Amino acid sequence: RKEVEQDPGPFNVPEGATVAFNCTYSNSASQSFFWYRQDCRKEPKLLMSVYSSGNEDGRFTAQLNRASQYISLLIRDSKLSDSATYLCVVKVGAAGNKLTFGGGTRVLVKP
Amino acid sequence: GAVVSQHPSWVICKSGTSVKIECRSLDFQATTMFWYRQFPKQSLMLMATSNEGSKATYEQGVEKDKFLINHASLTLSTLTVTSAHPEDSSFYICSASPDTYEQYFGPGTRLTVT
């Protein structure tokens, strides 16, 4: 079983619509959680950290469910520029700052 | 701030040759640098973690004699792919960390071995 699993998609989303997807992690000792965005042939870029109480950054909302060991990302009012692969990233506290990446969920926003 | 550069951004080499990739933190000191590899349509896989002045720690399945890592200063780490083969063709990405929390990624190096 992979440490961090994601639905690879693609999620085809009409412009202006809402899309949400999850990520599950297997290590219950995981302490920090992030969503990164990666465009084709580019490096990943931090989108947002995920906090226990859930957090929002503009049109993006992240949730953490420790009991079920998953995190989610919701994108409201999707823009064409939101088309990218979204990587779920987990850090296990005891391992310093080593990050474990999920396989990514591809989102395609279409006009 | 927190800029990480990689050089070269892309390289084509012949099978059997060695290729060196540089990762530099431009405006901060990186106590730790990480090297990742990403094959097409797959996620980033951590290859090794390096701390300045000490030997790199390699992930399981990564050959340390094939992927030589040197972290000689707080702003520079190098990855040398020795005796490259076509299956080593991949996107190599480094990240640099000034502490135990943040990681800043370089733009990546696309390696093609012919």
Side-chain angles (χ1 to χ4, degrees):
Chain A
R1 181 185 174 187
K2 292 181 182 177
E3 290 186 59
V4 181
E5 294 204 61
Q6 295 182 248
D7 182 337
F11 285 64
N12 294 298
V13 184
E15 190 176 9
T18 296
V19 61
F21 42 88
N22 293 341
C23 155
T24 59
Y25 59 94
S26 60
N27 192 334
S28 59
S30 300
Q31 295 189 2
S32 303
F33 308 89
F34 311 89
W35 283 105
Y36 277 72
R37 171 196 169 123
Q38 186 176 27
D39 294 294
C40 189
R41 295 175 175 263
K42 300 284 188 180
E43 77 276 24
K45 295 189 176 178
L46 179 64
L47 179 66
M48 59 195 300
S49 301
V50 185
Y51 302 118
S52 297
S53 55
N55 50 299
E56 191 174 301
D57 183 358
R59 298 181 293 106
F60 298 85
T61 301
Q63 298 277 356
L64 167 63
N65 186 317
R66 286 190 184 273
S68 300
Q69 295 186 196
Y70 75 85
I71 67 173
S72 64
L73 181 67
L74 182 146
I75 307 174
R76 283 188 302 278
D77 187 23
S78 298
K79 312 292 184 190
L80 296 177
S81 57
D82 293 333
S83 296
T85 296
Y86 292 84
L87 303 172
C88 173
V89 182
V90 170
K91 186 171 99 169
V92 178
N97 55 349
K98 174 181 167 181
L99 301 178
T100 302
F101 285 78
T105 295
R106 191 163 172 225
V107 172
L108 297 174
V109 182
K110 300 186 175 181
Chain B
V3 178
V4 177
S5 70
Q6 274 185 248
H7 178 79
S9 55
W10 60 270
V11 57
I12 301 173
C13 72
K14 292 187 177 181
S15 188
T17 61
S18 295
V19 175
K20 180 185 283 189
I21 302 170
E22 291 186 351
C23 176
R24 292 180 186 272
S25 56
L26 298 184
D27 51 3
F28 66 97
Q29 293 187 325
T31 53
T32 307
M33 286 186 170
F34 301 85
W35 286 97
Y36 297 84
R37 180 168 54 181
Q38 186 176 33
F39 292 108
K41 302 198 177 201
Q42 296 186 27
S43 191
L44 278 74
M45 295 298 295
L46 180 65
M47 299 176 67
T49 303
S50 73
N51 291 293
E52 184 262 340
S54 61
K55 290 184 179 180
T57 301
Y58 289 81
E59 295 298 301
Q60 192 173 10
V62 178
E63 299 175 58
K64 62 180 181 181
D65 294 329
K66 180 170 179 63
F67 299 99
L68 302 178
I69 292 172
N70 184 285
H71 192 162
S73 77
L74 286 171
T75 59
L76 173 65
S77 176
T78 60
L79 168 68
T80 301
V81 182
T82 62
S83 186
H85 290 284
E87 57 265 31
D88 297 323
S89 298
S90 188
F91 191 44
Y92 291 86
I93 305 174
C94 74
S95 70
S97 179
D99 50 38
T100 58
Y101 191 77
E102 299 285 351
Q103 274 192 44
Y104 302 98
F105 287 85
T109 296
R110 192 160 300 279
L111 170 64
T112 301
V113 184
T114 60

